[in-house]
Amino acid sequence: MPASPSTARAINDRLALRLLQQEGPLTAGQLKQLTGLSRPTVSDLVERLSVSGLIRVVGESGEQRRGPNARLYGIAADRAHLAALDVRTGGVLVLVSDLVGQVLAEVAVPIDAASGTGPAVEQAVAAVEEAARKAGPDVWTGLHTVGIGAPGLVDPATGDLRDSSGLPAWHRSLVAALQWRLPKARVTVENETNLAALAEQREGAARDRDTFVLLWLGHGVGAAVVLDGHLRRGASGGTGEIGFLPVPGTGSLPSATDCDGGFHALAGAAAIGALAREHGLPVEGPLDGPVAARLVARAVTDGTAPAARFLDALADRLAIGAAAVTAILDPGCVVLGGEVGQAGGEALAARVGARLKRMSPLPTEVRPGTLGGTAVLRGALLTARDRAQDELFAP
């Protein structure tokens, strides 16, 4: 059956708003061309969206053109403000943006979990408040949506961060604390690797792929699975917990509470540091994601035989995890994400790809991630922006 007039108007309005999000400011004529709608229909939707406060005139198109036909319409970016958090074991990164995703303020705060759950949560909330107040005087109390990326499992039924061994207790308390301090805001949490995959798909290395696996390489290891354009979380939210994958070469097996005997023991930051020492490369500690990334980046640019052997040995290890994922999912593309994946670039990706080709009959392209450690924060922002726009752009 044909859509009712009100439904048709809602569809047209959403289409126009999405085009303004993707293309930037447009004239009514450009909206007519891109949507295929009639001139009167475009005029009506521009009037509706202007009255609702979702769009406004932001300029004119062309120096020689004047008048109504030259007006550029854009989304009212200050209609809502968003916050994105990258929650790590030792701190939190926060950014605040407007409705179209333009970053207005950023704050990074180290957090000592030894201070206790309450003080740690208060530090994290204070970081969000600081970033919001930097963005504008009324932004903190008016935050519309907060997107959080954190390590660990997110329960797909409740959306809550589950209790995970080895992770600070303040992580699980942060969502409730932010929701209490910001009762009007929508607060969501997602696994950090899943958000990194979303960012690489929308803005990074996987923009042309609707099926791929992101292999996260940083302080620890993880994976995210995107099939037919959809992120797959699994029955318990644990899809991609590749650190627990039993693999040869670790000397033991992982347990339900300890991944040290799994793939993590081959490809985590500490393992990369130990591998570098074995090949005579200088290592600075403590070993975390950024330090491991610097080791790999130096090896790529070094050009010496020990550096090349180190990269070969690291590729041998990464190919084990990539081959296991490929054998089950046949994604056609594996993105080496995180700080280490970005630092290794094409040099590391090509090595892993060559080994994977020998290990698996399934054709699989291996690419380096382009967003590195910023992918989690970008993914959290994209998620917050999508949720806010879905609500505000609804009829």
PDB file of all heavy atoms in Angstrom, residues 244-272:
ATOM      1  N   PHE A 244      41.699 -15.382  24.167  1.00  0.00           N
ATOM      2  CA  PHE A 244      41.539 -16.677  24.828  1.00  0.00           C
ATOM      3  C   PHE A 244      41.687 -17.847  23.856  1.00  0.00           C
ATOM      4  O   PHE A 244      41.547 -18.995  24.271  1.00  0.00           O
ATOM      5  CB  PHE A 244      40.165 -16.761  25.494  1.00  0.00           C
ATOM      6  CG  PHE A 244      40.045 -15.910  26.734  1.00  0.00           C
ATOM      7  CD1 PHE A 244      39.645 -14.581  26.649  1.00  0.00           C
ATOM      8  CD2 PHE A 244      40.341 -16.431  27.982  1.00  0.00           C
ATOM      9  CE1 PHE A 244      39.530 -13.796  27.773  1.00  0.00           C
ATOM     10  CE2 PHE A 244      40.232 -15.660  29.122  1.00  0.00           C
ATOM     11  CZ  PHE A 244      39.833 -14.331  29.021  1.00  0.00           C
ATOM     12  N   LEU A 245      41.964 -17.570  22.589  1.00  0.00           N
ATOM     13  CA  LEU A 245      42.091 -18.642  21.601  1.00  0.00           C
ATOM     14  C   LEU A 245      43.299 -19.516  21.910  1.00  0.00           C
ATOM     15  O   LEU A 245      44.426 -19.026  21.974  1.00  0.00           O
ATOM     16  CB  LEU A 245      42.245 -18.039  20.203  1.00  0.00           C
ATOM     17  CG  LEU A 245      42.393 -19.025  19.051  1.00  0.00           C
ATOM     18  CD1 LEU A 245      41.059 -19.726  18.777  1.00  0.00           C
ATOM     19  CD2 LEU A 245      42.886 -18.302  17.795  1.00  0.00           C
ATOM     20  N   PRO A 246      43.115 -20.839  22.127  1.00  0.00           N
ATOM     21  CA  PRO A 246      44.272 -21.726  22.334  1.00  0.00           C
ATOM     22  C   PRO A 246      45.096 -21.812  21.056  1.00  0.00           C
ATOM     23  O   PRO A 246      44.559 -22.049  19.969  1.00  0.00           O
ATOM     24  CB  PRO A 246      43.629 -23.081  22.672  1.00  0.00           C
ATOM     25  CG  PRO A 246      42.213 -22.752  23.068  1.00  0.00           C
ATOM     26  CD  PRO A 246      41.832 -21.560  22.268  1.00  0.00           C
ATOM     27  N   VAL A 247      46.384 -21.565  21.156  1.00  0.00           N
ATOM     28  CA  VAL A 247      47.265 -21.578  19.988  1.00  0.00           C
ATOM     29  C   VAL A 247      48.571 -22.278  20.348  1.00  0.00           C
ATOM     30  O   VAL A 247      48.958 -22.346  21.524  1.00  0.00           O
ATOM     31  CB  VAL A 247      47.575 -20.144  19.504  1.00  0.00           C
ATOM     32  CG1 VAL A 247      46.335 -19.481  18.927  1.00  0.00           C
ATOM     33  CG2 VAL A 247      48.148 -19.293  20.637  1.00  0.00           C
ATOM     34  N   PRO A 248      49.283 -22.812  19.364  1.00  0.00           N
ATOM     35  CA  PRO A 248      50.600 -23.399  19.640  1.00  0.00           C
ATOM     36  C   PRO A 248      51.610 -22.309  19.963  1.00  0.00           C
ATOM     37  O   PRO A 248      51.470 -21.161  19.538  1.00  0.00           O
ATOM     38  CB  PRO A 248      50.948 -24.096  18.319  1.00  0.00           C
ATOM     39  CG  PRO A 248      50.175 -23.341  17.281  1.00  0.00           C
ATOM     40  CD  PRO A 248      48.906 -22.921  17.949  1.00  0.00           C
ATOM     41  N   GLY A 249      52.599 -22.673  20.747  1.00  0.00           N
ATOM     42  CA  GLY A 249      53.694 -21.754  21.022  1.00  0.00           C
ATOM     43  C   GLY A 249      53.599 -20.989  22.315  1.00  0.00           C
ATOM     44  O   GLY A 249      54.494 -20.197  22.633  1.00  0.00           O
ATOM     45  N   THR A 250      52.537 -21.214  23.096  1.00  0.00           N
ATOM     46  CA  THR A 250      52.407 -20.471  24.351  1.00  0.00           C
ATOM     47  C   THR A 250      52.868 -21.283  25.566  1.00  0.00           C
ATOM     48  O   THR A 250      53.096 -20.722  26.627  1.00  0.00           O
ATOM     49  CB  THR A 250      50.950 -20.048  24.590  1.00  0.00           C
ATOM     50  OG1 THR A 250      50.138 -21.216  24.724  1.00  0.00           O
ATOM     51  CG2 THR A 250      50.447 -19.209  23.428  1.00  0.00           C
ATOM     52  N   GLY A 251      52.958 -22.591  25.429  1.00  0.00           N
ATOM     53  CA  GLY A 251      53.424 -23.437  26.520  1.00  0.00           C
ATOM     54  C   GLY A 251      52.361 -23.811  27.523  1.00  0.00           C
ATOM     55  O   GLY A 251      52.620 -24.571  28.460  1.00  0.00           O
ATOM     56  N   SER A 252      51.146 -23.263  27.376  1.00  0.00           N
ATOM     57  CA  SER A 252      50.054 -23.602  28.303  1.00  0.00           C
ATOM     58  C   SER A 252      48.740 -23.313  27.599  1.00  0.00           C
ATOM     59  O   SER A 252      48.711 -22.924  26.427  1.00  0.00           O
ATOM     60  CB  SER A 252      50.157 -22.791  29.599  1.00  0.00           C
ATOM     61  OG  SER A 252      50.031 -21.404  29.334  1.00  0.00           O
ATOM     62  N   LEU A 253      47.652 -23.499  28.335  1.00  0.00           N
ATOM     63  CA  LEU A 253      46.329 -23.226  27.791  1.00  0.00           C
ATOM     64  C   LEU A 253      45.683 -22.086  28.563  1.00  0.00           C
ATOM     65  O   LEU A 253      45.948 -21.902  29.758  1.00  0.00           O
ATOM     66  CB  LEU A 253      45.441 -24.471  27.885  1.00  0.00           C
ATOM     67  CG  LEU A 253      45.787 -25.635  26.956  1.00  0.00           C
ATOM     68  CD1 LEU A 253      44.916 -26.849  27.301  1.00  0.00           C
ATOM     69  CD2 LEU A 253      45.591 -25.238  25.493  1.00  0.00           C
ATOM     70  N   PRO A 254      44.830 -21.300  27.911  1.00  0.00           N
ATOM     71  CA  PRO A 254      44.116 -20.258  28.644  1.00  0.00           C
ATOM     72  C   PRO A 254      43.076 -20.872  29.569  1.00  0.00           C
ATOM     73  O   PRO A 254      42.710 -22.039  29.430  1.00  0.00           O
ATOM     74  CB  PRO A 254      43.444 -19.448  27.527  1.00  0.00           C
ATOM     75  CG  PRO A 254      43.253 -20.436  26.424  1.00  0.00           C
ATOM     76  CD  PRO A 254      44.447 -21.360  26.492  1.00  0.00           C
ATOM     77  N   SER A 255      42.621 -20.086  30.527  1.00  0.00           N
ATOM     78  CA  SER A 255      41.536 -20.514  31.408  1.00  0.00           C
ATOM     79  C   SER A 255      40.395 -19.514  31.278  1.00  0.00           C
ATOM     80  O   SER A 255      40.517 -18.491  30.602  1.00  0.00           O
ATOM     81  CB  SER A 255      42.012 -20.585  32.860  1.00  0.00           C
ATOM     82  OG  SER A 255      42.234 -19.273  33.369  1.00  0.00           O
ATOM     83  N   ALA A 256      39.306 -19.794  31.958  1.00  0.00           N
ATOM     84  CA  ALA A 256      38.151 -18.906  31.885  1.00  0.00           C
ATOM     85  C   ALA A 256      38.436 -17.535  32.484  1.00  0.00           C
ATOM     86  O   ALA A 256      37.728 -16.566  32.194  1.00  0.00           O
ATOM     87  CB  ALA A 256      36.961 -19.536  32.606  1.00  0.00           C
ATOM     88  N   THR A 257      39.470 -17.430  33.297  1.00  0.00           N
ATOM     89  CA  THR A 257      39.792 -16.164  33.951  1.00  0.00           C
ATOM     90  C   THR A 257      41.151 -15.621  33.574  1.00  0.00           C
ATOM     91  O   THR A 257      41.560 -14.569  34.069  1.00  0.00           O
ATOM     92  CB  THR A 257      39.743 -16.332  35.482  1.00  0.00           C
ATOM     93  OG1 THR A 257      40.675 -17.350  35.879  1.00  0.00           O
ATOM     94  CG2 THR A 257      38.349 -16.721  35.941  1.00  0.00           C
ATOM     95  N   ASP A 258      41.883 -16.310  32.693  1.00  0.00           N
ATOM     96  CA  ASP A 258      43.246 -15.886  32.367  1.00  0.00           C
ATOM     97  C   ASP A 258      43.558 -16.249  30.919  1.00  0.00           C
ATOM     98  O   ASP A 258      43.562 -17.426  30.553  1.00  0.00           O
ATOM     99  CB  ASP A 258      44.235 -16.574  33.321  1.00  0.00           C
ATOM    100  CG  ASP A 258      45.652 -16.037  33.160  1.00  0.00           C
ATOM    101  OD1 ASP A 258      45.878 -15.205  32.259  1.00  0.00           O
ATOM    102  OD2 ASP A 258      46.528 -16.467  33.933  1.00  0.00           O
ATOM    103  N   CYS A 259      43.833 -15.243  30.085  1.00  0.00           N
ATOM    104  CA  CYS A 259      44.109 -15.487  28.674  1.00  0.00           C
ATOM    105  C   CYS A 259      45.601 -15.596  28.378  1.00  0.00           C
ATOM    106  O   CYS A 259      45.995 -15.659  27.209  1.00  0.00           O
ATOM    107  CB  CYS A 259      43.493 -14.385  27.806  1.00  0.00           C
ATOM    108  SG  CYS A 259      44.160 -12.744  28.113  1.00  0.00           S
ATOM    109  N   ASP A 260      46.436 -15.640  29.420  1.00  0.00           N
ATOM    110  CA  ASP A 260      47.877 -15.665  29.194  1.00  0.00           C
ATOM    111  C   ASP A 260      48.347 -16.896  28.432  1.00  0.00           C
ATOM    112  O   ASP A 260      49.415 -16.878  27.825  1.00  0.00           O
ATOM    113  CB  ASP A 260      48.629 -15.582  30.532  1.00  0.00           C
ATOM    114  CG  ASP A 260      48.677 -14.151  31.059  1.00  0.00           C
ATOM    115  OD1 ASP A 260      48.383 -13.239  30.264  1.00  0.00           O
ATOM    116  OD2 ASP A 260      48.993 -13.958  32.236  1.00  0.00           O
ATOM    117  N   GLY A 261      47.577 -17.980  28.462  1.00  0.00           N
ATOM    118  CA  GLY A 261      47.972 -19.152  27.697  1.00  0.00           C
ATOM    119  C   GLY A 261      47.399 -19.176  26.295  1.00  0.00           C
ATOM    120  O   GLY A 261      47.624 -20.134  25.550  1.00  0.00           O
ATOM    121  N   GLY A 262      46.676 -18.103  25.917  1.00  0.00           N
ATOM    122  CA  GLY A 262      46.049 -18.058  24.601  1.00  0.00           C
ATOM    123  C   GLY A 262      46.791 -17.155  23.638  1.00  0.00           C
ATOM    124  O   GLY A 262      47.973 -16.835  23.825  1.00  0.00           O
ATOM    125  N   PHE A 263      46.094 -16.713  22.595  1.00  0.00           N
ATOM    126  CA  PHE A 263      46.694 -15.878  21.556  1.00  0.00           C
ATOM    127  C   PHE A 263      47.273 -14.592  22.133  1.00  0.00           C
ATOM    128  O   PHE A 263      48.238 -14.039  21.601  1.00  0.00           O
ATOM    129  CB  PHE A 263      45.641 -15.569  20.488  1.00  0.00           C
ATOM    130  CG  PHE A 263      46.153 -14.780  19.319  1.00  0.00           C
ATOM    131  CD1 PHE A 263      47.177 -15.271  18.518  1.00  0.00           C
ATOM    132  CD2 PHE A 263      45.599 -13.551  19.009  1.00  0.00           C
ATOM    133  CE1 PHE A 263      47.651 -14.534  17.436  1.00  0.00           C
ATOM    134  CE2 PHE A 263      46.057 -12.816  17.930  1.00  0.00           C
ATOM    135  CZ  PHE A 263      47.088 -13.311  17.143  1.00  0.00           C
ATOM    136  N   HIS A 264      46.708 -14.119  23.226  1.00  0.00           N
ATOM    137  CA  HIS A 264      47.230 -12.936  23.905  1.00  0.00           C
ATOM    138  C   HIS A 264      48.714 -13.096  24.246  1.00  0.00           C
ATOM    139  O   HIS A 264      49.486 -12.136  24.186  1.00  0.00           O
ATOM    140  CB  HIS A 264      46.426 -12.670  25.187  1.00  0.00           C
ATOM    141  CG  HIS A 264      46.990 -11.600  26.061  1.00  0.00           C
ATOM    142  ND1 HIS A 264      46.740 -10.257  25.848  1.00  0.00           N
ATOM    143  CD2 HIS A 264      47.796 -11.660  27.155  1.00  0.00           C
ATOM    144  CE1 HIS A 264      47.373  -9.550  26.764  1.00  0.00           C
ATOM    145  NE2 HIS A 264      48.015 -10.371  27.576  1.00  0.00           N
ATOM    146  N   ALA A 265      49.107 -14.319  24.608  1.00  0.00           N
ATOM    147  CA  ALA A 265      50.494 -14.570  24.994  1.00  0.00           C
ATOM    148  C   ALA A 265      51.436 -14.480  23.802  1.00  0.00           C
ATOM    149  O   ALA A 265      52.664 -14.375  23.987  1.00  0.00           O
ATOM    150  CB  ALA A 265      50.616 -15.948  25.650  1.00  0.00           C
ATOM    151  N   LEU A 266      50.905 -14.530  22.585  1.00  0.00           N
ATOM    152  CA  LEU A 266      51.737 -14.395  21.393  1.00  0.00           C
ATOM    153  C   LEU A 266      51.755 -12.975  20.833  1.00  0.00           C
ATOM    154  O   LEU A 266      52.748 -12.560  20.231  1.00  0.00           O
ATOM    155  CB  LEU A 266      51.238 -15.339  20.282  1.00  0.00           C
ATOM    156  CG  LEU A 266      51.391 -16.845  20.480  1.00  0.00           C
ATOM    157  CD1 LEU A 266      50.928 -17.559  19.216  1.00  0.00           C
ATOM    158  CD2 LEU A 266      52.832 -17.209  20.800  1.00  0.00           C
ATOM    159  N   ALA A 267      50.645 -12.243  21.007  1.00  0.00           N
ATOM    160  CA  ALA A 267      50.499 -11.000  20.269  1.00  0.00           C
ATOM    161  C   ALA A 267      50.201  -9.775  21.124  1.00  0.00           C
ATOM    162  O   ALA A 267      50.060  -8.679  20.579  1.00  0.00           O
ATOM    163  CB  ALA A 267      49.392 -11.158  19.225  1.00  0.00           C
ATOM    164  N   GLY A 268      50.093  -9.929  22.449  1.00  0.00           N
ATOM    165  CA  GLY A 268      49.900  -8.772  23.312  1.00  0.00           C
ATOM    166  C   GLY A 268      51.158  -7.920  23.375  1.00  0.00           C
ATOM    167  O   GLY A 268      52.235  -8.306  22.910  1.00  0.00           O
ATOM    168  N   ALA A 269      51.057  -6.742  23.968  1.00  0.00           N
ATOM    169  CA  ALA A 269      52.186  -5.817  24.016  1.00  0.00           C
ATOM    170  C   ALA A 269      53.397  -6.420  24.712  1.00  0.00           C
ATOM    171  O   ALA A 269      54.534  -6.267  24.261  1.00  0.00           O
ATOM    172  CB  ALA A 269      51.761  -4.524  24.719  1.00  0.00           C
ATOM    173  N   ALA A 270      53.189  -7.132  25.831  1.00  0.00           N
ATOM    174  CA  ALA A 270      54.308  -7.742  26.550  1.00  0.00           C
ATOM    175  C   ALA A 270      55.006  -8.783  25.678  1.00  0.00           C
ATOM    176  O   ALA A 270      56.241  -8.882  25.670  1.00  0.00           O
ATOM    177  CB  ALA A 270      53.819  -8.365  27.846  1.00  0.00           C
ATOM    178  N   ALA A 271      54.214  -9.552  24.932  1.00  0.00           N
ATOM    179  CA  ALA A 271      54.796 -10.571  24.057  1.00  0.00           C
ATOM    180  C   ALA A 271      55.585  -9.936  22.923  1.00  0.00           C
ATOM    181  O   ALA A 271      56.655 -10.438  22.525  1.00  0.00           O
ATOM    182  CB  ALA A 271      53.696 -11.463  23.497  1.00  0.00           C
ATOM    183  N   ILE A 272      55.105  -8.824  22.403  1.00  0.00           N
ATOM    184  CA  ILE A 272      55.828  -8.131  21.333  1.00  0.00           C
ATOM    185  C   ILE A 272      57.151  -7.582  21.857  1.00  0.00           C
ATOM    186  O   ILE A 272      58.191  -7.651  21.189  1.00  0.00           O
ATOM    187  CB  ILE A 272      54.953  -7.007  20.752  1.00  0.00           C
ATOM    188  CG1 ILE A 272      53.763  -7.613  19.997  1.00  0.00           C
ATOM    189  CG2 ILE A 272      55.755  -6.100  19.825  1.00  0.00           C
ATOM    190  CD1 ILE A 272      52.761  -6.591  19.504  1.00  0.00           C
TER     191      ILE A 272
END
